[in-house]
């Protein structure tokens, strides 16, 4: 099962191949995607992305996880989250969201089992 392409991105809106939904923030993995609701884990811009935010995606068997920090990179990713992922054997890429989407789509096109969590506003 391949990772779905992120078909479009603009401020506050993302569309993922295979889904009819428009996401503000989303999680993607081989074979699927869903809205990323920060309220589920109490996420805020700071301290930012926590292991609980990425757990669902890494359980899908991804080799690489791309984290989009927002258009202005307001969303933090603490070193503890990166370390947690690396200890799981996951290659982690933390980028501004437009760059993160390009990276994610390039990896998906190569057939890599890539997942992502993306913030599409600030």
């Amino acid at each position: 099962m391949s990772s779905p392409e992120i078909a479009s991105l603009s401020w506050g809106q993302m569309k993922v191949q295979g889904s009819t939904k428009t996401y503000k923030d989303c999680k993607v993995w081989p074979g699927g995607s869903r809205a990323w609701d920060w309220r589920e884990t109490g996420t805020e811009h700071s301290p930012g992305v926590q292991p609980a935010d990425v757990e669902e995606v890494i359980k899908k068997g991804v080799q690489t996880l791309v984290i989009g920090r927002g258009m202005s990179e307001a969303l933090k990713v603490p070193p503890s989250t990166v370390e947690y992922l690396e200890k799981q054997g996951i290659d982690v890429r933390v980028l501004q969201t437009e760059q993160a989407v390009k990276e994610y789509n390039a990896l998906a096109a190569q057939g890599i089992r890539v997942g992502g969590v993306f913030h599409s506003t600030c």
Side-chain angles (χ1 to χ4, degrees):
M1 200 168 297
S2 62
S3 299
E5 177 186 6
I6 296 175
S8 67
L9 168 68
S10 60
W11 184 275
Q13 296 186 344
M14 299 181 74
K15 289 196 173 276
V16 177
Q17 179 184 30
S19 175
T20 58
K21 297 180 179 165
T22 299
Y23 301 116
K24 176 183 165 214
D25 300 317
C26 71
K27 298 181 179 188
V28 291
W29 59 84
S33 65
R34 77 169 183 92
W36 176 17
D37 182 350
W38 291 17
R39 294 172 294 189
E40 292 172 355
T41 57
T43 297
E44 296 182 3
H45 287 97
S46 183
V49 181
Q50 302 299 305
D53 294 311
V54 298
E55 187 68 30
E56 174 183 12
V57 177
I58 65 171
K59 283 184 176 177
K60 304 291 185 178
V62 300
Q63 299 167 282
T64 302
L65 182 74
V66 180
I67 300 174
R69 295 188 50 211
M71 300 299 208
S72 303
E73 299 184 271
L75 179 61
K76 307 283 188 233
V77 181
S80 58
T81 299
V82 174
E83 290 165 15
Y84 167 78
L85 290 163
E86 289 173 343
K87 284 181 183 171
Q88 306 284 324
I90 307 292
D91 176 25
V92 187
R93 318 269 173 104
V94 178
L95 302 162
Q96 184 268 356
T97 295
E98 290 163 309
Q99 295 303 313
V101 166
K102 287 178 187 172
E103 180 76 3
Y104 169 89
N105 280 343
L107 292 167
Q110 294 171 38
I112 293 172
R113 290 188 59 83
V114 61
V117 293
F118 301 98
H119 177 45
S120 72
T121 59
C122 54

